[in-house]
Amino acid sequence: MRDWLLYLVIAGILAFAVSSWWGVRRLRAKHTRSAVWEETHSPGLGRQKVAVVLNPIKARSTEARALIESACAEAGWEPPLIVETTAADPGFSQARAAVDSGADVVLAGGGDGTVRVVAEVLAGTGTAMGLIPLGTGNLLARNVHLEVNDLQGSVQTALFGHQRFIDTARMTVENSRTGASAQYTFLVIAGMGMDAEVVGDTFDGLKKAVGWLAYTEAWVRHLAGRRKKVSIALDDQPEQARKIRSVLFANCGLIPGGIDFIPQAMIDDGMLDVVVMSPRSAIGWLAMYTKIVLKHKKDLPVMTYYRSGKVTIQCSEPLPTQVDGDPSGEATKVTVQVAPGSLLVRVREGAEAARAGAGWARV
């Protein structure tokens, strides 16, 4: 029986990889996310004070440090302030120290967790954030059209590129059974239900071995779960009852593999795109997967889209949650609200960079 499960997982991973490759090619040919993108602007600074929040356990962290220090030296700037994250502090105090130092730009060197923490501190301050993608997903970097495999190019953009404002979102997680509550800022996609189960149950060893494809294995193991009853309220409107497997809250929608999971989600439109997924069988999941990969516009009963500035979901049974691919605890109530134009991010120059699908869609 275990052999059959292994074969099923391998087949699923291969099918996902092939369809993702095909999706990348299609995205290069046709993409419309740039419709909301504002023109970028130059920082207008001859000299810059640079700070770096760096996750030292990432494989290319030493190389990133050297590239940043070298670029600053060649520009004739003072050496960057480099502060490393720790297991006890993933970057909150480090980012605050960077802002307090008077940095013009704070570079987030690490995975999605490091980027999310630095963004939470920088949101609303007017201090620019540069992205040095060193993780598995590198979700925000993909959604602002950076080439995530080009470390030197990312350093150049973070230090010398243009910049623009993007939205952030904040999720409040409450658990009535334990009394616990917490708040998290996220930049790409947060969720409640099966997607969070998959995030929390993906094997770290497999993730290191095959990258983002590791989530496919966990997804296969959780397919057989049951739907849960929740109430959903959009922008403080009356609640509606739904049975769901998962609810996603998207600030933007590009995920690894070149999949534009939620094409209508724009990073600067001041709105959240909410996706309620309620399949009851493998056929329902297959229909959803086909719609996403092939970009079918036909509505599915098991996949409902909403747009809202604020979303509240309540349930009697605690459900797992996640923010940008990091587990964020179980909740009986989740409140998500967008913060329009709250974060200044370094990007490639000009609106044409946002339309260059071939650069940012690669895996």
Side-chain angles (χ1 to χ4, degrees), residues 40 43 68 121 138 147 175 181 205 215 219 221 243 253 270 288 309:
T40 64
I68 294 166
V121 174
N138 302 309
E147 172 52 75
N175 190 328
S181 65
Y215 293 107
W219 178 73
R221 284 189 282 117
K243 286 186 176 181
M288 287 173 46

Side-chain angles (χ1 to χ4, degrees), residues 5 8-9 15 29 34 46 48 61-62 85 88 118 159 191 203 215 229 240 249 264 266 290 306 310 328 331 339:
L5 179 59
L8 178 62
V9 169
S34 60
Q48 296 185 78
S61 61
T62 300
T85 64
V118 173
L159 294 176
F203 298 122
Y215 293 107
K229 186 175 181 180
Q240 54 177 297
F249 317 98
Q264 63 269 37
M266 307 291 179
T290 302
Y306 303 94
K310 179 182 178 182
S328 48

Side-chain angles (χ1 to χ4, degrees), residues 43-97:
L45 300 171
R47 296 177 62 87
Q48 296 185 78
K49 190 171 185 179
V50 178
V52 184
V53 178
L54 184 66
N55 185 339
I57 70 171
K58 294 301 181 181
R60 303 185 71 184
S61 61
T62 300
E63 181 184 355
R65 177 194 289 264
L67 287 171
I68 294 166
E69 291 175 334
S70 175
C72 289
E74 290 179 7
W77 302 343
E78 63 181 85
L81 169 66
I82 300 180
V83 285
E84 296 184 346
T85 64
T86 65
D89 189 339
F92 289 105
S93 64
Q94 295 88 336
R96 294 188 190 101

Side-chain angles (χ1 to χ4, degrees), residues 6-22:
L6 177 61
Y7 296 149
L8 178 62
V9 169
I10 293 173
I13 290 175
L14 290 174
F16 189 81
V18 170
S19 59
S20 294
W21 173 87
W22 186 87

Side-chain angles (χ1 to χ4, degrees), residues 73-345:
E74 290 179 7
W77 302 343
E78 63 181 85
L81 169 66
I82 300 180
V83 285
E84 296 184 346
T85 64
T86 65
D89 189 339
F92 289 105
S93 64
Q94 295 88 336
R96 294 188 190 101
V99 173
D100 292 343
S101 74
D104 298 300
V105 60
V106 180
L107 277 53
D112 294 316
T114 301
V115 171
R116 184 176 57 79
V117 168
V118 173
E120 182 168 336
V121 174
L122 296 186
T125 67
T127 301
M129 180 172 75
L131 299 172
I132 310 298
L134 302 175
T136 302
N138 302 309
L139 295 176
L140 182 62
R142 296 174 190 273
N143 280 275
V144 295
H145 314 290
L146 295 183
E147 172 52 75
V148 298
N149 295 317
D150 182 5
L151 183 56
Q152 184 169 5
S154 295
V155 170
Q156 292 296 309
T157 298
L159 294 176
F160 308 109
H162 278 211
Q163 56 193 29
R164 60 183 296 265
F165 287 97
I166 67 171
D167 303 337
T168 63
R170 194 159 186 84
M171 183 165 78
T172 303
V173 176
E174 303 174 62
N175 190 328
S176 62
R177 293 190 179 181
T178 64
S181 65
Q183 290 188 329
Y184 303 90
T185 292
F186 69 93
L187 305 166
V188 182
I189 299 177
M192 183 180 196
M194 179 181 167
D195 66 295
E197 292 175 352
V198 169
V199 165
D201 202 23
T202 299
F203 298 122
D204 289 337
L206 188 59
K207 191 187 299 185
K208 290 179 180 178
V210 300
W212 54 268
L213 286 173
Y215 293 107
T216 305
E217 185 274 338
W219 178 73
V220 170
R221 284 189 282 117
H222 286 275
L223 273 180
R226 62 184 180 87
R227 300 189 302 172
K228 308 294 176 64
K229 186 175 181 180
V230 303
S231 67
I232 302 175
L234 306 173
D235 285 329
D236 298 317
Q237 295 299 309
E239 298 177 352
Q240 54 177 297
R242 296 291 302 271
K243 286 186 176 181
I244 62 100
R245 286 298 309 276
S246 187
V247 181
L248 298 178
F249 317 98
N251 188 38
C252 47
L254 186 69
I255 61 175
I259 299 296
D260 206 353
F261 193 77
I262 308 172
Q264 63 269 37
M266 307 291 179
I267 203 170
D268 57 1
D269 62 356
M271 299 292 287
L272 293 166
D273 287 82
V274 183
V275 184
V276 179
M277 297 182 287
S278 55
R280 288 184 290 184
S281 66
I283 295 176
W285 284 113
L286 180 61
M288 287 173 46
Y289 181 77
T290 302
K291 173 180 172 62
I292 292 166
V293 173
L294 300 182
K295 306 295 179 186
H296 285 172
K297 295 183 179 180
K298 184 178 180 180
D299 293 336
L300 293 176
V302 296
M303 193 175 190
T304 310
Y305 294 87
Y306 303 94
R307 286 173 58 79
S308 180
K310 179 182 178 182
V311 186
T312 302
I313 297 184
Q314 299 187 69
C315 52
S316 58
E317 178 183 346
L319 295 179
T321 65
Q322 62 86 14
V323 286
D324 285 348
D326 287 329
S328 48
E330 292 190 335
T332 54
K333 180 179 180 181
V334 163
T335 304
V336 186
Q337 188 159 10
V338 68
S342 54
L343 182 64
L344 188 62
V345 178

